Amino acid sequence: MKMYSLFILTFLTLACILSGCGQMNLQQQEQTPLFIGQGAIIDQTQADNAKKIVLSMDEVIEVRGVSNQDNIYIAPTVTHFDRLHLEGIRKDGFDRVKKRYPNSTIFLSTDKKIFMELEKLERQLKEESISKEQLDKRLKKLEEDMKG
């Protein structure tokens, strides 16, 4: 009876560990950024290129971004350990994007609220369910939130 109980306990522990690892792999698969390109009401090629630049950083695991005229709004998500160095990551990401687009105004934030808002905007741009005026208004609000 003891041997049977020990076997069941070992099996359940192993099953829990393996299912936890499976969930980690699912999270890692969802890290591909949404590239919109020229298919939106406003060309998003600059934002797509900026996302690629920021995503190439080792600390960044996911990124969202939208561009409007000469403004590029970027929100990366970093690994848990690297959250201790957010200021340096923001500066490095900003510098990399600014080097590629020197005439554009870059807004980069690691705030989760900004990340979620840009994710919504990306989805709406992809589905073409937002007007240019609404986009301008929401980006102005985001710009204010990013400044403080």
Side-chain angles (χ1 to χ4, degrees):
M1 186 65 181
K2 277 187 170 184
M3 202 61 162
Y4 182 71
S5 299
L6 183 62
F7 175 74
I8 290 179
L9 181 63
T10 305
F11 178 75
L12 289 176
T13 304
L14 185 60
C16 290
I17 290 172
L18 291 176
S19 67
C21 292
Q23 290 175 357
M24 181 69 91
N25 289 336
L26 287 176
Q27 290 173 350
Q28 291 173 348
Q29 291 174 356
E30 296 175 10
Q31 296 171 3
T32 307
L34 178 64
F35 295 116
I36 300 167
Q38 298 175 347
I41 56 172
I42 296 176
D43 185 17
Q44 295 298 308
T45 307
Q46 282 186 333
D48 291 345
N49 290 334
K51 287 188 265 187
K52 288 177 188 175
I53 292 167
V54 173
L55 195 59
S56 71
M57 297 170 56
D58 292 336
E59 303 90 355
V60 176
I61 56 174
E62 193 172 9
V63 66
R64 298 289 178 217
V66 174
S67 61
N68 187 18
Q69 297 162 353
D70 283 335
N71 298 331
I72 302 174
Y73 303 85
I74 301 290
T77 300
V78 300
T79 60
H80 291 294
F81 176 75
D82 289 315
R83 292 199 63 76
L84 300 172
H85 312 288
L86 286 178
E87 188 175 333
I89 293 168
R90 282 191 297 262
K91 182 177 180 351
D92 187 27
F94 177 86
D95 291 343
R96 288 180 184 205
V97 176
K98 191 66 173 176
K99 183 177 178 183
R100 175 71 171 89
Y101 296 105
N103 297 328
S104 295
T105 305
I106 311 298
F107 298 95
L108 193 137
S109 174
T110 52
D111 188 344
K112 279 287 194 190
K113 179 183 174 187
I114 304 295
F115 180 87
M116 291 187 302
E117 199 60 38
L118 284 174
E119 186 175 26
K120 288 178 193 174
L121 283 174
E122 279 183 347
R123 202 172 320 113
Q124 289 175 338
L125 283 168
K126 182 78 170 176
E127 296 168 356
E128 297 182 14
S129 63
I130 188 170
S131 70
K132 184 172 174 7
E133 294 77 27
Q134 289 173 321
L135 179 66
D136 289 340
K137 184 178 178 182
R138 294 203 26 214
L139 288 175
K140 280 288 181 199
K141 172 78 169 102
L142 269 180
E143 191 175 319
E144 292 172 10
D145 291 345
M146 286 179 169
K147 289 182 180 175

